[in-house]
Amino acid sequence: MNKELTQEMIEISIPHRAEYVSLIRLTVASIANRMGFDIEDIEDIKVALSEACSNAIMHGGCPKDDNFIVQFLLEKASLTISVSDFGKGYQKESIPEPNTEELREGGLGIFIIKSLMDDVHIDSGNNQGTSIRMIKNLREES
Ligand SMILES: Nc1ncnc2c1ncn2[C@@H]1O[C@H](COP(=O)(O)OP(=O)(O)OP(=O)(O)O)[C@@H](O)[C@H]1O
Ligand SMILES: [Mg+2]
């Protein structure tokens, strides 16, 4: 980020197709690397963002030609990423917490995002689309 600026915003509009997740992974790796995140944090951010994009593609796609939006907010001490789709949305209360002792396939994406990022907020509702905002803080240099 330009050192004189306190924040910069980058926004990408993406078709609801799984093949674009790799493009997002490359993009966020490049942004996070430039901001000074270490390799471990970059991997965590890539996994979390992939899960959010997969959800937008798998569950959030309503009209086929309506893209979803990924927004990156670059600040001195943190990276905030928002993934917004305009699909059918869902009731957060209706999704059970995953039972980690009884591992089954599926139902882990949001749990993974919450465990990898420092702060996660989800806005969703019936027919209102879904927006997930996740924040990763830069570690203080020791
Ligand atoms: N963008 C979205 N639009 C609509 N519903 C969503 C969206 N994201 C998540 N959901 C709902 O929340 C549920 C839980 O999402 P989560 O990512 O945790 O699991 P999953 O996508 O079902 O499985 P996995 O991510 O492990 O492959 C989904 O099954 C879906 O019902
Ligand atoms: Mg998922």
Side-chain angles (χ1 to χ4, degrees):
M1 180 164 76
N2 182 330
K3 294 227 160 23
E4 283 140 41
L5 295 172
T6 52
Q7 63 173 42
E8 284 178 343
M9 204 261 278
I10 299 169
E11 197 173 275
I12 314 181
S13 168
I14 303 153
H16 285 264
R17 279 152 54 122
E19 65 202 69
Y20 287 111
V21 175
S22 57
L23 180 147
I24 294 295
R25 290 170 67 90
L26 282 171
T27 305
V28 77
S30 161
I31 291 172
N33 185 39
R34 287 190 56 213
M35 288 179 71
F37 283 99
D38 62 25
I39 294 197
E40 204 180 307
D41 281 347
I42 293 173
E43 275 311 311
D44 289 352
I45 296 167
K46 279 165 70 181
V47 171
L49 182 53
S50 303
E51 288 296 331
C53 290
S54 300
N55 280 353
I57 291 164
M58 277 172 51
H59 310 297
C62 157
K64 272 241 167 333
D65 38 6
D66 203 1
N67 287 5
F68 67 98
I69 309 290
V70 180
Q71 190 189 79
F72 304 94
L73 183 65
L74 291 64
E75 292 177 288
K76 283 213 160 59
S78 66
L79 172 61
T80 302
I81 308 168
S82 304
V83 178
S84 306
D85 66 62
F86 308 96
K88 59 180 166 35
Y90 71 105
Q91 301 296 131
K92 276 188 276 179
E93 306 74 42
S94 66
I95 307 294
E97 290 277 313
N99 179 351
T100 43
E101 283 170 15
E102 189 194 299
L103 280 183
R104 58 183 176 90
E105 241 177 82
L108 285 176
I110 291 170
F111 177 79
I112 290 170
I113 295 169
K114 287 183 173 161
S115 65
L116 295 178
M117 301 297 276
D118 292 316
D119 191 43
V120 177
H121 181 81
I122 302 174
D123 257 329
S124 190
N126 275 340
N127 298 319
Q128 284 173 25
T130 300
S131 182
I132 175 163
R133 190 184 69 228
M134 47 194 135
I135 303 178
K136 193 77 169 172
N137 298 319
L138 270 161
R139 289 173 212 240
E140 303 258 327
E141 275 174 51
S142 46

